[in-house]
Each structure stands twice: as C-alpha cells, then as structure tokens.
Amino acid sequence: MTLPDTTAHAAGADHTFQVDLRGLVDLLSHHLYSSPRVYLRELLQNAVDALTARHGLEPTAPSDAFGIRLYADGSVVRVEDDGIGLTADDVHTFLATIGRSSKRAERIAEQRGDFIGQFGIGLLSCFLVADEIHVMSRSARTPDAPAVEWRGRGDGSYTVRTLPASAHPRPGTTVTLTPRADADEWTRPAQVHALARHFGSLLRHPVTFDDGTGGPGAAVNPDPAPWARTYPTPGTRSRALAAYGEEVFGFTPLDTIDLDLPAVGLKGIACVLPEAVPAGRRLGHRVHVKGMLLSEQAGELLPEWAFFVRCVVDAESLRPTASRESLYEDDTLAAVRDTLAERLRAWIARAAASDPDLLARFLQVHHLAVKSLAVHDDEILRMLLPWLPFETTDGHTTLDEFARTHRTVLVTSSVEEFRQVAAIASAAGLGVVNGGYTYDRELVHRLPEIRPEVSVADLDPATLTAHLDPVDRETELAAAAYLALARDALAVFDCDVALRTFQPASAPALLVDSRDARHERTRSQLAREQEGGLWGDILGALRQEAPRAQLILNQLNPLVRTAITIEAPELARTSAEALYGQAALLSRRPLRPAESSLINRSFLDLLAHALRKDR
C-alpha cells in the first residue's frame, strides 16, 4: 500500500507502482488465505510478536505480566496487547508500505526468529472483513513516547497522526475493526471467541475475551498444553493426553505417543488411530508454531507410511509459508519429519517388546501401514514380520504360526491365483500365502531372513499339478476319447485338459492359469492379428512360447466320472465347456467376453438336452 505517485510524467522520470488494494485483498482471499477467519489469527500473531519483543526489552518481567485482550460486541472487533508498541517510524515502515525492501527492514527480519509472523501483508487480511482498520499504538522503548494513530481504508488511503501519550495510556497496540455487514459470520462475539480459542488455545501469553455484556472476561487459553502439565501418575497423564486427542480429533486414540524434539523446540503427541485408513492417504496434522495454530491439515509433517497416526504439535523453529497455513518445505522440516518417524518406530519397538496386547490391537487395525514400513525398514521387518497377518490356506494367520506348520511356504503373485488354488492346495497339504495384496509377496519372500529354517518359493502351475495324484492307466485310457474332445472344444482358450485325483472331491475341476500366461497369450494373438504391420513386427519380436492354461478334471468327483463316459461328441464337448466355465467362475478372475458367451451357451445346451431326454 503506497500513496499515489504525483511525480510529473517527464521523460525518463521514475515512477512507483500503484496498488489496487481491492484487487489485492481479493487475491488474498481467493488464493492465499483459506477463509476470512484468518483475520483474527493475523491480529493475534502480531500481538504475540509484540509481546515477545516486550519481554526481550524487559526480560525480568513475569511471564503473565503482559497479555492480550479481545473485545467484540457485534459492532466492533478490538485486539489490544501490552507489547512493544510502535513508534511513528515503525508505523510508516510496517503499516504504510507493502513490499518495501530496505537495510533496516532486512535487519529487523534477521532478528525475527522469535516471532511468528511478519508485519505488513498480514494486516491486510483484516480487509477481508472490514473496510477500515484503526491502529493506536505507544512504544514501550521510551517512557514518555507519544501515541501514534494509523487509520487505513479499503480504497488504499491511510492517515497517520501523532497524539499525546494519554491517547493510549499503556504501552502496546490496539487494533480496532468496524466489520462490514457481509462479514457478520466472522465477527459476531461468539464467533470471535470461538476463533480465538481455535487459533490461540496453546499461546503462552494470557489471552482474554470480552463480549461487551459487562461480565468478566473469559480466558481463551486458561491451561498450558496438556503435555506441559504436571500429573500425579503416568496413568493419569496417559488418560489426559488421550482425552485431549479425542477433543482435538474426535476419536479415542488406541494409544498416544510423546513427541519431544528439543533441537527445534517441538513438543506434542501422536494419536494412534483406532480404525484403519486407506493406504497412502495422508492425514492432516495439527501444527502450532510458538503456540499459534498454523494448520490442521499439515500432511507434510510425517512420511507417507505413517498414516496410522494424527499429530498435534507445537514447534519453535518450523517456518510457515506466506499464508501461514502450512509449513515451508526446507531442511529443518525434512529433519523433523525423519526424527518423528524414528519416534514412531521406537513406539512400535516398545510395544513389541513390552506390551503384546497393545501390539496385537495395533497390528489388527494397521497391519498394512506396518507392512509398508517393513518393506523399507530392516529393523521393523526383523521385529514384526513374524507377527503380521496374511491370508493363507490356513486362514488369516501370522507368518510365525504359518511357518510352524509349513517349512516350505508358497506364495502367489495375485489374489485371483490364490483364489484358484486355495481349496485344492489346502487339501493337498500345501502351505500357500496370498501374495496379491500390496507388499505381501515381497515381505513373504523375506521370511527366511527371520526364519532361516523356512524356504519360500513362488507358486506356479507346475508346482500345484505336481502335488495332484495321477489316475491309473486304465482310467486314463478309458477317458482318452472324452479328453480329446474336451481339448478340441477348449482350444480356442489355449487350454489343455488333464485328468487327476485331488481333494476336495466336491470340486469337479480346477482351472490353472496365471495372469502372466494370459497376458502372453493375448500378446501372441495380437501379433498374429497384426502380422505384416509395424505393430505386429514389434509384438512378434517379443514373442515367446505362449504358456497354456490347464483344466484339471477331478476323477474323484461323481459328475466328472459320468462326463468322461459320454459317447455323444456334441454332448461331450458341451459338458467340457460347462466344466471350464464353472472352473473359470470359481477362479474369481474377470471373464473374457468369449468365456461369458461359452458359459451361457453351454448352460442352455445342457438344459435343452435335459428337456429332450425327459420327453
């Protein structure tokens, strides 16, 4: 904000930029600040910074000697502080000009490490709710300092006056806003009090609120941060922190984790969520800087794998962005993120070593988060891999329990492959783990690092079929004609047909077909269709021998024993197609259009055959 340039427009003359304050405020409201409510936070920040400077001037003064007083009665909003105050020069430097760069301003900026915000642009947020800002201030640096009045208006104009000290009897600053009618939502007394509690509940200076009704002022921040209080017992402290976490986040934490990083002046708690959240979803954390609420959605505070906690912290050295609604990404924030991650790892380690019940509850809810961490963290891997739950042919169980029964652990590469083989593999005594979920296959393959006596291998069709019992030679010869017809009927799906015996006998057939095999057959088919073209040449160069699917008929199943005796060729083909369709459905993988058509056709053909037979 500058005064209009009245310099004559002579050739070569210098001119100053003219600021459209309305346009600038509109820019702030739509692109810098998330809501007009931040006006009160900006006023509180300026007041806290003024108090910080006052304590620097008078270091022996009691911590509660100076404070902040808020007033709102529906017609005005006023913020009064006992801070360092402003001189006439300060008013011109910090309130009358935006964007000024001077040696003095640079020196002041270097000294503002103890302050939350910066003068100047923050005060403009008040124009989000008011057309006029009235500032009365008196410097505490000299006992007889005069009072200074600054009055800024929404059209970009302002006035500055020097008044007798009696105009502002106490050192400090008072900012008064006359709200616009459309800002009533943010300037009603109850709302101002709520905003003050929201932003300033952890401020270290006393803050009071007066609604103009004549009653005693209400304390905005009557208690220190819960982690800074003294408790009679550790259990009392733990319950108090959990209650605070529930108040802030709306859930009862599974546990609370103390966060204390003296190097950056950070203290707070991490609340372990009692329910799982989607993997990779970054939850917002509540971050205060020097007691002032900065953000409720600071996802950058923790690494992505730590999505099982929400934190509330108060820090001294973290840098806010220009909007002061998020954290500036710098080396300090990166170091804080790494250190907080170590604190979470240490908590998991303590739970594993001394509180198995808590660990079990935690893993039951957040095993996916721990799995994502264990992939990259060898210490967590060694500590927790045996206790992590996996889907196996023995049900949902831990790898430690599973490895006691199965010294050879087989793992599938997809969920659908596990669904195909689970029942048959279990009946055959094979130990198979579903490796289709995120991180699971990679983690299972690392089990021998923790349990050297256990071996892990990928499950492939050959491994499974090798554990299925062959039928005797006479039965194989008797079924040869049927098997030939079945292979011919299913050739369109690149599917072989074999006869074996396996449990459970209620399963008529098993379709063994991996995702990689289907992809390779699809690629080979495209290559044949595009033969002669550039795309066909590329696919042909990649061509490998396409692995075939295999439909394994169960000779123990009564339906299969009847089917292999069918002599009518068409009926034999239809029954083979129906068995293939039923096995494909049981595999729970997506059906190709041709397979869906085959299932419908074979069902109708069998139904028609049955109806003809009944006549």
Side-chain angles (χ1 to χ4, degrees), residues 86 182 188 193 274 307 336 359 379 410 460 494 521 528 532:
L86 298 172
D182 62 357
R188 293 192 303 267
H193 187 204
F307 51 81
V336 166
L359 179 68
E379 182 180 354
L410 302 173
D460 57 34
D494 288 317
R521 291 197 300 274
R528 290 193 295 270

Side-chain angles (χ1 to χ4, degrees), residues 303-432:
E304 290 187 5
W305 57 260
F307 51 81
F308 57 89
V309 297
R310 292 193 70 181
C311 297
V312 52
V313 300
D314 186 17
E316 296 286 339
S317 301
L318 295 179
R319 291 175 57 195
T321 59
S323 67
R324 294 195 279 283
E325 296 184 342
S326 59
L327 295 172
Y328 186 81
E329 189 69 46
D330 58 10
D331 292 341
T332 300
L333 178 58
V336 166
R337 186 163 47 236
D338 291 343
T339 306
L340 291 180
E342 289 299 324
R343 296 290 189 274
L344 299 184
R345 291 188 182 96
W347 174 82
I348 295 174
R350 285 195 302 273
S354 60
D355 198 338
D357 290 339
L358 174 60
L359 179 68
R361 295 198 306 272
F362 171 67
L363 291 180
Q364 183 179 11
V365 176
H366 297 296
H367 56 86
L368 185 59
V370 178
K371 286 178 180 179
S372 68
L373 175 58
V375 167
H376 306 292
D377 191 309
D378 291 344
E379 182 180 354
I380 294 296
L381 177 78
R382 289 190 296 271
M383 187 185 310
L384 295 182
L385 180 59
W387 311 106
L388 291 172
F390 289 81
E391 185 179 10
T392 74
T393 46
D394 291 351
H396 282 84
T397 184
T398 66
L399 285 186
D400 192 61
E401 293 176 353
F402 194 66
R404 293 175 188 171
T405 308
H406 306 282
R407 292 304 187 199
T408 299
V409 175
L410 302 173
V411 58
T412 64
S413 59
S414 68
V415 173
E416 63 189 48
E417 289 173 9
F418 179 81
R419 300 282 188 264
Q420 289 178 34
V421 305
I424 286 81
S426 178
L430 296 177
V432 182

Side-chain angles (χ1 to χ4, degrees), residues 234-280:
T236 304
R237 184 177 192 275
S238 178
R239 288 189 292 273
L241 294 180
Y244 181 73
E246 184 173 7
E247 177 187 345
V248 171
F249 295 123
F251 62 82
T252 302
L254 194 64
D255 195 17
T256 57
I257 307 168
D258 269 299
L259 304 176
D260 188 0
L261 281 60
V264 293
L266 183 146
K267 290 187 176 183
I269 56 173
C271 297
V272 182
L273 290 159
E275 297 179 351
V277 296

Side-chain angles (χ1 to χ4, degrees), residues 271-289:
C271 297
V272 182
L273 290 159
E275 297 179 351
V277 296
R281 175 184 170 189
R282 301 197 72 173
L283 296 174
H285 305 289
R286 190 179 178 94
V287 176
H288 298 252
V289 175

